[in-house]
Amino acid sequence: DTKSEVEMDQQQQQQSLGSYLTGNTANVLLFFLRLGGALAGIMFLARAGSMFYILSVSAFLFVYGIRLYQRMNGIEFSRAYLTRASLDDCGHYILYGIMLAAQTPNLLALLPFMCNGLLAMVHFVTTMINNTGTFVFLLRPMGYISSKVNDILQFVVKMEVAMLAMTIMRLLTSFSVFGVMTTFSMVHFTVLRCSSRRNPFPFQFWSGIAAYCDAISASPRCPGVIRNFYIRVRTFFSTQVTALKQMQVQLQQQQQQQ
C-alpha cells in the first residue's frame, strides 16, 4: 500500500508531456535546432551536397547564439560584454562556427558541433522523461550515452586539435591572407578552449603535450634555436591561458557580489 501511494504521488508530481514542452519552449527550440544541425551533418556525410554543410553550421550557430543570449541575459554593444562573451563556451563556438562557414566544407569540422549537440539533446530528453514519465524506454540508451560523456568530450578535443593541424597545414601549403586570418582565429579558439570552465579536457590535453615538449627541449640533443623558439611560444600561450583563467575568476567574483 505504501509503495502504491508513493507511485501515485510521483505520478501526480509529473507533468503532462504537452505542458512540459509548452513550459520549456526555448529548450524545445534548441533541441530541434541541434537535431536539425546533426541531421544536416549526416546528409553532408552522405554526399548530399555542400548546402547541408551550411545548414548544419547555421543551425549550431543559432544554438550557441541563443545559449549565449540566455547566459548573458541579453545583448550589449560594449567591450565589457564582448570580453564576457569570449570567456563563455558558447562564445568560443560562435567563433568556431564563423570560421567553418568561411572554409571549404569538411565533415571533420562538424564533429565537435555534432558531439556537443548530442550531449545536450540527451540531457534534454532525460530531463523530459524524468519530469513527464513518457518515453521511458529511452532512458537506457540515454543513460548509456551519458555514461560516455568524458569519452565524447575527449573526442571533441581531438577533433578540434585535428582542425587546428589541418588549418596550419593548409596555410603552409597555400599561403594567403585569408589563410593567415583563419589560422590566427583557430589558434585563438584553441587558447579559449584551454580556459574553458565546462570542459577541462582541452587544458589537460595541451598540458600533456607541453610536458612532452618540455622533456624534448631539455634534452642536450635539442638544437638551441629550436629550444629557444619553443620556450618563447610556450611562454606566450601559457601567459594567454593564465590571463583568461584569471579573468574568469574575477568575473565569477563580480557575479557573486551582485
Side-chain angles (χ1 to χ4, degrees), residues 7 14 19 33 47 59 69 73 80 82 97 105 138 158 169 173 175 179 183 222 243 248-249:
E7 291 177 350
Q14 289 177 339
S19 63
L33 281 173
R47 301 183 182 277
Y69 178 87
N73 297 319
L82 292 176
L138 291 175
K158 293 175 183 177
M169 289 299 298
T173 54
F175 184 85
T183 303
C222 181
Q248 287 181 342
V249 171

Side-chain angles (χ1 to χ4, degrees), residues 64-98:
Y64 287 111
I66 294 171
R67 291 295 291 129
L68 185 65
Y69 178 87
Q70 291 175 331
R71 292 177 183 174
M72 304 288 287
N73 297 319
I75 298 177
E76 296 177 13
F77 297 97
S78 65
R79 182 176 180 180
Y81 180 88
L82 292 176
T83 300
R84 288 167 51 209
S86 67
L87 296 176
D88 191 277
D89 285 36
C90 291
H92 303 173
Y93 281 108
I94 288 175
L95 171 63
Y96 182 74
I98 292 172

Side-chain angles (χ1 to χ4, degrees), residues 131-206:
N131 281 276
T132 63
T134 55
F135 303 107
V136 179
F137 65 93
L138 291 175
L139 274 179
R140 180 171 292 182
M142 296 298 107
Y144 176 78
I145 297 174
S146 297
S147 68
K148 301 295 181 181
V149 168
N150 288 345
D151 293 336
I152 295 174
L153 291 178
Q154 289 175 353
F155 176 76
V156 168
V157 173
K158 293 175 183 177
M159 294 302 99
E160 292 170 356
V161 172
M163 276 301 300
L164 174 63
M166 288 179 57
T167 304
I168 294 174
M169 289 299 298
R170 189 181 294 117
L171 175 65
L172 296 176
T173 54
S174 57
F175 184 85
S176 65
V177 176
F178 176 76
V180 172
M181 294 174 60
T182 304
T183 303
F184 175 80
S185 299
M186 194 66 203
V187 170
H188 184 57
F189 168 77
T190 303
V191 173
L192 290 174
R193 295 306 298 146
C194 286
S195 66
S196 172
R197 290 179 295 173
R198 298 175 181 273
N199 185 355
F201 295 112
F203 181 78
Q204 293 178 10
F205 176 86
W206 287 108

Side-chain angles (χ1 to χ4, degrees), residues 227-246:
R227 181 186 299 111
N228 293 333
F229 176 76
Y230 166 71
I231 291 174
R232 290 182 180 181
V233 171
R234 190 190 192 287
T235 302
F236 172 78
F237 285 109
S238 178
T239 302
Q240 294 292 314
V241 173
T242 301
L244 287 170
K245 287 183 174 293
Q246 290 176 346

